Structure formats: structure tokens, C-alpha cells
Amino acid sequence: MRALPASVLVVCGLIATACGGTSSGDAAADQAPRVNVGEQQTPADQPTADQPTAELTPTASPAESRTRAARPLEGKVIAIDPGHNGGNYRAPAAINRQVNVLTKWKACDTTGTETDSGYTEASFTWDVSRRLTKILESRGATVKLTRHGNNGVGPCITERAAIGNKADADAAISIHGDGAGPDNHGFHIIMPKKIHGPVDPVVGRSSDLGIAVRNAYAEGTGMPYSNYIGRKALDYRNDLGGLNLSTVPKIFIECGNMRNAGDAAKFKNPKFRQEVAVALANGLQHYLKA
């Protein structure tokens, strides 16, 4: 999410809103999570004279059990923030407006970055978010998006946080692609630090969410950990409004470096974007079911 050339008119920032672009190509089939909790189940005790017998204990019908297995996220609310917005470049005054993120003042939003061939971060994040929404909803979750298209402007980073807060989301994720130097590659997760602010009570749970998503993303996409930022793909920050202002567990993911030729080639491949969506869904599910 580094700055674009000056000709774009707007400075790119790490926190930006949803990216434009619609799904292209054939999407790979959705699949069940591959990250296992690995806990050993303890056999139930045998009933005694003081315990209810099996006949008196309510049990789920086979149909109910199948429904629960097919919709493991039933009742969960997940907020998805597609980084940047496709029309941001048309409104520099609006997105450069300064907003308070508690630890500093920052631009309302930015344009995001792009590959050398012009595939924008906004397009990537919007496409991945649409795919992720479809998967999560098929698993029973209610999804709240911070934007509903890729041709608009904003919303500001403060509003993006507020959308997840208002939804009382069980988990929130902001999806991005980085814009670092061409030799840098790999993905990393950004998580909040305590700032004596609204995010403090959920810093621990946000870290748990970040680790779950990191593990699932590495397994599901084959992307390596970032070679230029974070430790084992984990980076903790206190300067991002989308995290500082969140009252629900929330993370950012930089899915790779769009300025690296290898990462960029993957980003432009619809099959890879589907793998990203499935991996993110698996990570969110692993966190929510832990």
C-alpha cells in the first residue's frame, strides 16, 4: 500500500478503502477449512443413577447435525473492509481530509497501490472481498462490507472502523496489497497495539485472529512470509485508524507486494484470488470456532 506516482494526484497510504474490480475467470470450488484445532475429544461419562439417561437427553437430529456441519459460522457476524476504493483518485480533496486516529492525524483515505501493469490494489481487494463474502455466507455467517462497489470514494478510515463496531462483529478484516520495493515479497498480518483507547480490550483477541489467519493463508495460498516487514509475518502497529478505533477484534492483511513481479502475477490470476478468499475464510472460521 505504498504511494503511487505523483501523476495519480493522490498519495497512497496503508489505510485505504475498498478496491474496485469485479471477479474474473472461473472461481475454484469452495472447500472446507484445512486448519485443524487438533484437540483430543474426551469420551462422555457413563450415566449414573443420578444422571439423566440417554433417552432423556436432547440430541440433534441427523438433519440438524448436517446443517450445523454445513453452516459452521451460523450466528457469526464478520466485517470485511476491502482496502481503498476505485474512485478515490477522482477526489483528492475528499480523501486527503485529515481525520483523528487517536495516535495521530491521517488522511481520510488513499488511492492504494497497483502492479507495474496497472492492476490496482482497489480492484484486487474488491474482487477478493466479494469472493470471501460468498464463502462466508455459504457457511452461515452474516457479512458486513465497508463498501458495496468499486467506483465510489471512501469511506474514511474512521467510518470503516465504525461499520464493524456498529455491527458488533465477531471478527473484522481489512484486505490490502502492499506497494513496497520490487525485491520485497510475501505477505504479512498487521495487528493493533494498546493505545489507551477503544481497541485496548480487543488487542489480545485481535492477535489470536491474526495468527489464525496467518496460518491459514500460508497453508491455503503457498505465499511465503514477508521478507521485509514483521516477524514471521506478524506486525503490530498503533498508527492505523482502522485498528485504533475498532472495538471488535480486527486485523489487516497485506496479501503480498503488488510491486514485486512474482507476487503481482499471482494477484492478477483469478484462481489465486479464489485461493486467497478460501484461505481467509478458513482462518476466520478457525478463530471463531476455537
Side-chain angles (χ1 to χ4, degrees), residues 152-217:
V153 176
C156 285
I157 54 181
T158 50
E159 297 172 75
R160 291 171 182 270
I163 290 170
N165 295 346
K166 183 178 179 180
D168 194 21
D170 295 289
I173 184 169
S174 188
I175 300 170
H176 291 269
D178 209 358
D183 293 331
N184 299 324
H185 65 86
F187 81 96
H188 65 278
I189 307 293
I190 304 172
M191 293 159 291
K193 291 181 176 180
K194 288 188 176 182
I195 58 168
H196 300 293
V199 74
D200 287 12
V202 295
V203 163
R205 282 180 285 162
S206 296
S207 182
D208 292 341
L209 171 61
I211 292 170
V213 170
R214 178 200 62 179
N215 294 346
Y217 190 83

Side-chain angles (χ1 to χ4, degrees), residues 242-255:
L243 296 182
N244 288 355
L245 298 169
S246 181
T247 59
V248 301
K250 185 174 183 179
I251 62 169
F252 279 45
I253 180 170
E254 296 284 2
C255 295

Side-chain angles (χ1 to χ4, degrees), residues 29 52 67 86 105 110 133 145 261 264 268:
T67 298
W105 288 77
T110 67
T133 296
L145 286 160
K268 292 186 287 184

Side-chain angles (χ1 to χ4, degrees), residues 31-120:
Q31 58 191 35
R34 288 177 285 179
V35 181
N36 298 316
V37 176
E39 295 179 349
Q40 184 176 359
Q41 300 298 315
T42 303
D45 293 336
Q46 294 298 320
T48 66
D50 296 326
Q51 294 176 318
T53 62
E55 289 79 11
L56 298 179
T57 303
T59 57
S61 68
E64 290 173 329
S65 298
R66 287 193 296 271
T67 298
R68 291 174 185 173
R71 296 174 65 83
L73 296 177
E74 192 76 49
K76 300 296 185 181
V77 177
I78 299 172
I80 300 176
D81 176 28
H84 314 283
N85 204 326
N88 280 1
Y89 72 95
R90 296 194 300 264
I95 67 169
N96 284 331
R97 177 172 62 86
Q98 296 292 293
V99 296
N100 186 2
V101 302
L102 303 183
T103 56
K104 63 190 302 183
W105 288 77
K106 297 188 73 169
C108 158
D109 202 355
T110 67
T111 59
T113 189
E114 64 183 17
T115 67
D116 289 344
S117 64
Y119 181 56
T120 67

